[in-house]
Structures are given as C-alpha cells and as structure tokens.
Amino acid sequence: MAQSSILGYPRIGADREWKKALEAFWAGKLEEAEFQAKLQEIRLTHLKKQKDKGIDLIPVNDFSYYDHVLDTAAMFGIVPKRFAYEGGEVPLSVYYGIARGTKEAAASEMTKWFNTNYHYIVPELDGAKPSVTENKPLKAYREAKQKLGIEGKPVLVGPLTFLKLSKGYDKSETDAWLDRLIPLYVQVLRELALEGVRWVQIDEPIVVTKIGDDDVRRLKAIYETFAAAVPQLNILLQTYFEAAERYSDIVSLPVKGIGLDFVHGLEGNLAAVREHGFPADKVLGAGVIDGRGIWKASLGEKLGVLEQLTGVVGSDRLIVQSSCSLLHVPVTVAGETKLAPELKGALAFADEKLEEIALLTKAATEGRAAIAAELANSESAVQALRQSAERNRADVQQAVAKLSAQEPVRSRPFSDRRVAQQNKWQLPIFPTTTIGSFPQSAEVRKARQLWRKGEWDGERYAAFIREQIDLWIKLQEEIGLDVLVHGEFERTDMVEFFGEKLAGFVFTQNGWVQSYGSRCVKPPVIYGDVAFEQAMTVEETKYAQSQTGRPVKGMLTGPITIMNWSFVRDDIPREQIAYQLAYALRQEVEALEQAGIGMIQVDEPAVREGLPLKEQDQAEYLAWAVKAFRMTTCTVNDETQIHTHMCYCEFHDMIDSIESMDADVISIETSRSHGELIHSFEENTYKLGIGLGVYDIHSPRVPGVEEMSGMIDRALRVLDPQLFWINPDCGLKTRGQEETVASLRNMVEATRIARAKHA
Ligand code: GLN
Ligand code: ZN
C-alpha cells in the first residue's frame, strides 16, 4: 500500500496566530509559559489537521519558533560568541537574540533558502564547540504521540546541507566540521531509534545544486555512519526544489528511502528513474504535489506520474507526498470569500494539498477508479480556470507573440543616445539622484488607511499625496539633487501597487506565507493574462514634474521583479508571463514619455532571485529576463533616459547580463558587498551609466561626508567618471525625514568634493 506524507506544514496558522504569538512575546505581552502553551496549541492543531485529512506519515519538528536552520544550530549549541551563552539548552532570549539582534549584539545574517522567498538564519560556526543541547526532534515526536497518538516522522536538516549553508569556516575545514557534527547527529538519531521512531526525514536539498565528488564522498561517509549507528531507524533522505544531481550515487546511499521532487525536478528525476531504475531495497518519496505553487493539481496528470513510478518501484514502496515543505504556500483557501468561483475552485493551499495527497495515495494503491469522482472534479476545476476569459485574452496573446518574436532594441546604441541625452539634460559630471521612495511617515500610512476605509474620498487622498510631493520636491531642490523623484507616497509596496492596477492579478484575503521570522507576505496572484488597463503612475509623476525645473524620474517596477514576487499561474511558462508583464509595463513607459517625463526608472531588484538552482539553466533564464526588461523599455526616444535599479544581492557574476539590459543608467546597491562588486569592474569595465550606492539605507545612521567620499574615490578607480552617478543604495521609504535629509546633504557635499577633484 502506498503511504501519504508531506515534508512540512506552514507554521504561521490560518489566522497568522503564530506570528501574533511571537510578536506578543517579543513585546512582553505574553509570559513565556503562556507563549509556550500557545505555540503548543498551534502545533497540535496542525498535526491533528493532517491526521484528519488522512496523512499517514506526519512530519514533526518541522514546526519552529523562528526558523528551522536556526533550530538546528541551537540544537547543537552553535551560538555566535557575541551572545552571552554558556552551554546547555539555548534559552529563548538567546535564540531570539541570534535571530533579531539584541542591544549588545547584532543579529546573525539572514539569507534566502535556495530559490524561495523564505529566509533562514545563517549559522556561524567560528569558535563554536558544538554539542547536543536538546533533542528537539525527540521532544516533537513525544509530544505528537502523547497528546494525539500520532506516530510522527521527525524532520531534520541534513549535515551536508547544514554545513554548506553555514558560514564562519574555511572550505578546507569542511571535513573537519563534518567530523564534529556527525557524532551529534548520531546521538540525536540514536535517541530517536531508542524511542521507537520508525521514519526520519533528513533534508539534503543541497544535492539538487552543483555537488562534486567530494560531496558525494561526504554523503557516503555521513549516511554510512548513520546506517551503522541506527540500523533500525528508517532514514528517508529528502531532496527538493530541483532534480537530484548524481542520481545514481544518491540513490545508492545506505538509507531506507529517497525523496525526490517530481514537480520542480520532474523531467530530470523522471528521466533518471527511467534510465537507472530505483534500488529494490528502498522506498521512494514521490513529491508530486507542488509545495510552492498555489494551484489545484490535475489529479489525472499527477496519477500519470505516479503510475510511471509504481511501474518501477511498485505501490508498496511508494510515499505520495508534497514536492517540498508546505511552508511556502498559504494555509487554506477556506477563508477566501471574495474570489470568483472558477478562481477559488482552482486554488489549493496547504490544507487543500493534504486532501490531494490523500486522494492520490488512495488511487496509487487502488487504481484510478477509486477516486473517479474527485478526478473528474479536479479536471473540471483546472479546465474552468483554463477556459476563463481572463486566461484567454486574444489581444494580449497576439501582441505578446508578435513582440517576443522580435529582438527588442533601442533605435540607437548607447553611445549615440548618451550624446542626445547629454544635449537635452546638460547634467553636471557625477549627477546625483535617489532610488525612488522617500519616507513613508506615519502620516502617509494613516492617510492611506483613511482613504482605503472610505473615510477620505479619492480627491482628498490625491491632494494629500500632492502635498507630500510638494514637500519633497522642495527638499530635493534645496538639498541640491540633480535628478528628482516624486517619492512613491501613493504606494505601499512596489509590486502590489502595480498588481492592483493591471488586469490578470488578484489579491487573496489571507494568502500569507512566512518570509522570515514572524514576517509574512501576501504575494499577489497572477492568474490571468496580464494587461495594461490605464496609466498607473502618470498623474503623480506629471504633477511632480510640473513643480520643478529639474528632471523628475518616472518610477516603475520591472516585469521580472513583479513576477518573482508574485504567485504565478502554472499553465504557461514563466517566460511568457514575463513578456506579458513587459508588454503591459511598456505601455506605461510610453504613457510617461508622452506625458513629458524624460527619465524613467524600471526597478529590477529581484532579477537574481529567479535564477535557477542549476547552473546549466541560468543562462536561459537571464536571457529572457533581460529580453523582458528590454521589451519594457526599448520603444522610447533616444533622449529619453532609461534607468534601472537593483539591490538585495551579489552581481559580480552577472554583470554581463546587467549590461545587456541596455539601461542608460543603473543604480546598484553596493555598500554591503562593496569590495566584490568594485572588484568585478576591474576586469570588465561597465560601459553604460552607473551609480554605485554610496551609503547603506538600512540603518538610521547618517553617514559622514568622508565616508561617502571614500566610496566614490574607490569606485572611480575602476569606473569611467563620465558615466558615474551618485546615489544611495536603495529607496528611502523606511527611513525618517530628518536622517534622510541629513544623509542626502552629506551625499551632495561628497559629490561637490568629487567634482572638484575629478572634473
Ligand atoms: N524604487 C523603489 C524604492 O525606492 C526601489 C525599491 C527596491 O529596490 N527594493 O523604494
Ligand atoms: Zn533597492
């Protein structure tokens, strides 16, 4: 008989009660005992739900007080030195200190979990003397068993993945570190085995990225040690987010089960199973239900995949499961009351996915006939959306097909455009500008609330926004900036703002997912063909321009960023969605140009986030991402200056792609990765306009003139002064007015000094 399982369940709760509990505890509004009780209640509710929905192997220890990578570090007593920690079980105060920082010590770094929008806390190994401080998986297992009679499946981050995601050690010490960690894992596993645990899921998603012979050797060492130490424990080695690399090596590791992703790594994993078979002594965890997407599955299609797999392994050795943890999707569709029926009917969040998994498991054993009615239902739900008017806009599809068949290029090369633009704008050397947003003060947020609640009418709100624009245009002129912005006061979020105005988007009421810690995001849903309906930014930009003689930059979010920060439909390739967005945004670019806006910035901070995990797929992605950007921006006149902005990541390995976006000016975040980026320009100078952020906007600290001068001088050693712009690292919406004005004044002063030196 096939069994059902998931790899993890969302922590946040249907009503984000987890988030609320954490924040109440941090604010001192919940005592520790109450907090613990509340979290246990949430945990047990989640377990019970899985049981009720018919999940056989229910994960435990997937729950966390913040992040599962941090949990692993805490379990092994890996706490950075700067926190007063003296060994033993890591107290909550220290645990949250590592995650969020304390008055005395800075938080640990946080970074993206593979190619998802979940962020984990990066373990710092330097100086750590790891030991098992508590057996968290065992506690979770006991709790599920005692409270609910559930025979849980403890989940652990595997040693190789844990080590590769950690920092604070030299790569040459990898084996030494593994030697330190393996015995600790053995201790944890041994206690689980003694307790009578049957299955343990050990996550090693690192094996879907590039792994070498050394890593394969390490994996062998790790899992041979485990097999020898706890022969009675069934270890399922779990991979996800892509097809496993080195398939034959991975499936011959001495474990009882291998979990593969048959959604995001479908082709690769299926081909590998077909070609190399699957070991007769192992169970296959078949991740067929998408743990990252929000759409209902076509159960027929999924059964097709499962049938191919049972053809190889038989149904007795099959676990039907999610492709990855359900952490990446919202909790339930049940609370959505405002969605069109064909849309709501086509959605499956975590709870609905549990049902899909249970159904598929039944059919994998008993055959399709056992779920005939549900098969038909799932098919008609999928078809209803597929056939909806929103997914079949002939106008959009024809226009996009035509456009994407051509190579989007500006009418003349940068060298010519530059002359035209310089003639028009007469900007000084080292023009100064900002990235777009100015402080979203309490007053601004309040005004938006009043307007959203209907207490203010549209005209009153628009007048308020105009006042903010007036204020900041005056401030910018007075500070002496060369290229101004309107300040983005009308926007809460750079993606949501456009999503609300473009066709093809919808917003759920409760589609929250954890981004990091207690922070949850509610990504827009791109469910239909994307289309431009009316100008989105022209009014405010035009107004700002009318108030000043200096150029005002229009400000848009680019197609790739909008796509990467949304849940997207899965019936057409992402590339097509990007082109649809590009076509829509290009109409906005044209509208701005027609309204007399001569500089237009199209922000693409999230380009790198969409980079595929497999190196061999990256060039293709970058090619169409760049094409989408060019499609958005290529129709303007030579004199119209296209800007772009990027942040959040390292760019040194993608400068070529950035250059081929052909933006007249890019502003790029550098203060957090300064050395690296500057370094990459030594080998390969950048040939278009470029502004390297001269100060980090993530802190309220006002940077001094000298500090910024230093940044400018360093940059000018490798960049052409004639192409160099001066700007902060990113938008200023999270900052206060006073510190923003002070910092920008210093930036303008540093520019004055640079002009005197270099002109
Ligand atoms: N224009 C946006 C802003 O200034 C850019 C934000 C970003 O890069 N994340 O807020
Ligand atoms: Zn930015």
Side-chain angles (χ1 to χ4, degrees):
M1 246 174 70
Q3 297 196 78
S4 57
S5 192
I6 60 168
L7 311 194
Y9 185 83
R11 300 155 189 156
I12 62 174
D15 198 26
R16 279 179 297 152
E17 48 272 42
W18 180 83
K19 168 201 174 71
K20 291 169 193 165
L22 260 61
E23 289 173 2
F25 177 62
W26 296 338
K29 290 180 197 143
L30 266 186
E31 293 297 325
E32 182 160 340
E34 294 170 285
F35 173 60
Q36 294 285 8
K38 181 73 202 163
L39 261 63
Q40 181 181 56
E41 179 195 320
I42 296 173
R43 206 153 57 223
L44 294 176
T45 309
H46 294 174
L47 293 175
K48 191 160 177 306
K49 204 186 264 179
Q50 295 173 59
K51 187 178 174 189
D52 292 346
K53 302 254 185 199
I55 300 300
D56 301 318
L57 285 171
I58 297 176
V60 294
N61 195 43
D62 55 331
F63 190 84
S64 176
Y65 279 54
Y66 196 93
D67 159 50
H68 52 276
V69 180
L70 175 57
D71 292 345
T72 313
M75 177 165 81
F76 296 141
I78 298 172
V79 173
K81 270 232 186 60
R82 58 188 181 280
F83 296 93
Y85 164 70
E86 271 140 23
E89 201 171 306
V90 176
L92 273 182
S93 58
V94 174
Y95 177 87
Y96 284 132
I98 304 170
R100 311 176 59 232
T102 61
K103 272 203 203 80
E104 296 78 30
S108 281
E109 188 190 322
M110 173 173 85
T111 196
K112 276 164 67 72
W113 176 246
F114 296 87
N115 58 353
T116 71
N117 285 328
Y118 176 82
H119 300 72
Y120 68 93
I121 300 291
V122 182
E124 298 175 36
L125 302 187
D126 34 339
K129 297 207 175 45
S131 66
V132 177
T133 62
E134 64 169 318
N135 193 333
K136 262 201 73 208
L138 179 63
K139 279 188 188 160
Y141 173 83
R142 281 186 178 150
E143 181 187 66
K145 189 153 189 173
Q146 285 161 7
K147 302 272 181 201
L148 300 167
I150 287 174
E151 185 65 47
K153 168 188 70 167
V155 180
L156 286 87
V157 179
L160 190 66
T161 298
F162 178 77
L163 198 52
K164 293 250 173 180
L165 299 185
S166 298
K167 65 174 198 181
Y169 69 102
D170 191 84
K171 292 284 164 277
S172 65
E173 300 165 339
T174 305
D175 289 308
W177 266 103
L178 269 181
D179 289 344
R180 252 164 257 165
L181 289 175
I182 291 173
L184 308 186
Y185 273 94
V186 165
Q187 186 183 335
V188 168
L189 294 173
R190 214 173 245 146
E191 288 171 15
L192 291 175
L194 277 175
E195 189 78 11
V197 170
R198 281 180 226 148
W199 279 101
V200 177
Q201 171 190 319
I202 303 191
D203 288 358
E204 291 282 18
I206 202 76
V207 309
V208 311
T209 65
K210 201 175 169 192
I211 52 168
D213 290 341
D214 273 346
D215 297 317
V216 171
R217 173 183 54 73
R218 288 172 185 135
L219 285 166
K220 276 195 189 134
I222 295 166
Y223 290 94
E224 274 164 13
T225 309
F226 291 175
V230 282
Q232 67 277 47
L233 197 60
N234 296 318
I235 293 178
L236 185 125
L237 179 81
Q238 185 63 54
T239 73
Y240 40 81
F241 298 149
E242 258 298 351
E245 290 288 303
R246 308 284 297 252
Y247 175 84
S248 302
D249 293 314
I250 300 297
V251 297
S252 44
L253 290 170
V255 292
K256 295 284 161 43
I258 300 284
L260 300 172
D261 184 334
F262 289 100
V263 177
H264 298 277
L266 176 63
E267 274 174 41
N269 279 334
L270 210 50
V273 171
R274 267 197 228 113
E275 189 177 332
H276 305 284
F278 190 78
D281 60 342
K282 289 188 175 61
V283 164
L284 174 63
V288 289
I289 288 297
D290 190 358
R292 300 180 59 171
I294 54 169
W295 304 105
K296 194 170 260 183
S298 152
L299 294 180
E301 218 172 281
K302 300 297 176 188
L303 269 177
V305 175
L306 288 174
E307 283 157 4
Q308 293 188 51
L309 296 174
T310 45
V312 178
V313 299
S315 67
D316 285 347
R317 288 195 289 128
L318 194 74
I319 303 177
V320 179
Q321 55 186 25
S322 54
S323 65
C324 60
S325 168
L326 300 180
L327 175 68
H328 308 287
V329 291
V331 177
T332 173
V333 180
E336 301 299 328
T337 55
K338 296 188 177 149
L339 301 174
E342 79 266 19
L343 179 56
K344 183 170 173 182
L347 289 171
F349 297 169
D351 287 355
E352 293 75 27
K353 288 179 194 294
L354 297 177
E355 290 164 15
E356 294 182 330
I357 290 168
L359 286 167
L360 289 173
T361 308
K362 188 170 159 77
T365 305
E366 300 171 23
R368 285 186 179 234
I371 61 160
E374 290 88 349
L375 266 175
N377 281 344
S378 93
E379 222 40 61
S380 61
V382 171
Q383 285 311 326
L385 187 58
R386 214 162 262 185
Q387 279 147 23
S388 66
E390 286 79 6
R391 282 200 176 179
N392 293 281
R393 292 188 60 144
D395 55 338
V396 171
Q397 292 176 5
Q398 280 159 14
V400 169
K402 201 168 140 215
L403 277 184
S404 58
Q406 306 153 6
E407 196 46 49
V409 277
R410 299 268 310 251
S411 60
R412 288 204 283 162
F414 174 69
S415 50
D416 297 348
R417 294 183 330 244
R418 187 178 155 206
V419 175
Q421 288 164 19
Q422 198 45 28
N423 284 341
K424 174 168 178 194
W425 301 110
Q426 304 282 333
L427 291 172
I429 189 169
F430 310 145
T432 52
T433 190
T434 61
I435 307 304
S437 58
F438 279 123
Q440 290 255 337
S441 59
E443 202 193 350
V444 172
R445 291 196 302 267
K446 181 82 195 289
R448 183 158 40 241
Q449 256 175 21
L450 288 170
W451 167 63
R452 286 223 155 139
K453 276 195 258 159
E455 285 177 40
W456 277 18
D457 62 17
E459 187 35 49
R460 178 143 184 218
Y461 180 60
F464 172 85
I465 298 292
R466 282 196 298 273
E467 277 167 31
Q468 295 295 314
I469 294 175
D470 288 340
L471 168 72
W472 279 92
I473 289 287
K474 278 203 197 78
L475 282 169
Q476 292 174 85
E477 284 186 335
E478 198 226 315
I479 292 166
L481 293 163
D482 301 307
V483 172
L484 314 192
V485 296
H486 79 282
E488 301 181 27
F489 301 106
E490 73 287 8
R491 311 181 188 176
T492 35
D493 174 274
M494 62 189 289
V495 171
E496 183 185 73
F497 177 80
F498 292 94
E500 282 176 345
K501 294 188 158 53
L502 290 166
F505 282 75
V506 74
F507 290 83
T508 59
Q509 286 158 277
N510 228 348
W512 297 96
V513 287
Q514 188 186 0
S515 171
Y516 63 88
S518 69
R519 175 153 169 89
C520 299
V521 293
K522 188 152 68 76
V525 176
I526 301 181
Y527 75 105
D529 289 332
V530 174
F532 175 89
E533 294 198 302
Q534 84 280 67
M536 301 175 278
T537 65
V538 171
E539 198 183 307
E540 290 85 4
T541 319
K542 210 169 127 184
Y543 176 74
Q545 184 64 85
S546 74
Q547 300 301 303
T548 178
R550 303 186 194 192
V552 172
K553 261 193 299 190
M555 199 55 62
L556 308 178
T557 305
I560 302 298
T561 298
I562 293 184
M563 181 180 71
N564 285 346
W565 287 348
S566 299
F567 279 121
V568 302
R569 53 196 285 199
D570 60 357
D571 62 322
I572 59 173
R574 290 175 82 81
E575 179 180 353
Q576 288 304 318
I577 300 170
Y579 294 157
Q580 289 191 356
L581 282 159
Y583 174 53
L585 291 164
R586 152 176 168 155
Q587 295 169 68
E588 182 71 13
V589 168
E590 288 167 356
L592 281 168
E593 186 182 50
Q594 249 153 46
I597 303 303
M599 295 187 184
I600 300 165
Q601 178 171 314
V602 178
D603 290 326
E604 283 291 24
V607 168
R608 201 198 165 92
E609 295 190 10
L611 206 61
L613 290 171
K614 303 261 189 224
E615 238 170 60
Q616 67 264 29
D617 301 334
Q618 293 176 353
E620 189 191 334
Y621 162 79
L622 285 171
W624 59 253
V626 167
K627 184 169 167 183
F629 181 86
R630 291 168 61 136
M631 212 184 245
T632 308
T633 52
C634 72
T635 54
V636 295
N637 299 321
D638 292 344
E639 307 88 75
T640 300
Q641 192 167 64
I642 295 292
H643 290 235
T644 189
H645 165 70
M646 289 191 173
C647 56
Y648 299 130
C649 51
E650 294 151 20
F651 308 99
H652 53 282
D653 57 350
M654 52 184 278
I655 295 288
D656 290 348
S657 299
I658 294 177
E659 201 161 32
S660 62
M661 288 163 71
D662 201 25
D664 298 302
V665 183
I666 185 170
S667 57
I668 198 160
E669 184 223 287
T670 32
S671 58
R672 283 181 297 176
S673 59
H674 207 82
E676 262 176 297
L677 189 65
I678 298 265
H679 188 66
S680 63
F681 290 121
E682 280 165 6
E683 290 138 31
N684 234 325
T685 56
Y686 193 75
K687 296 176 211 61
L688 294 88
I690 182 166
L692 294 188
V694 297
Y695 79 89
D696 180 10
I697 56 85
H698 295 92
S699 138
R701 193 177 71 89
V702 175
V705 176
E706 262 175 50
E707 187 181 326
M708 290 195 256
S709 290
M711 296 279 255
I712 295 170
D713 290 343
R714 230 173 309 156
L716 285 174
R717 268 180 241 145
V718 292
L719 291 166
D720 180 353
Q722 300 303 324
L723 296 173
F724 194 67
W725 285 62
I726 292 177
N727 49 259
D729 255 352
C730 193
L732 295 158
K733 74 172 172 207
T734 58
R735 297 274 62 88
Q737 173 169 340
E738 212 175 303
E739 77 224 28
T740 297
V741 171
S743 302
L744 291 175
R745 278 195 210 290
N746 287 353
M747 187 181 91
V748 168
E749 176 58 14
T751 306
R752 197 188 58 75
I753 296 170
R755 282 176 184 155
K757 248 198 277 184
H758 296 272

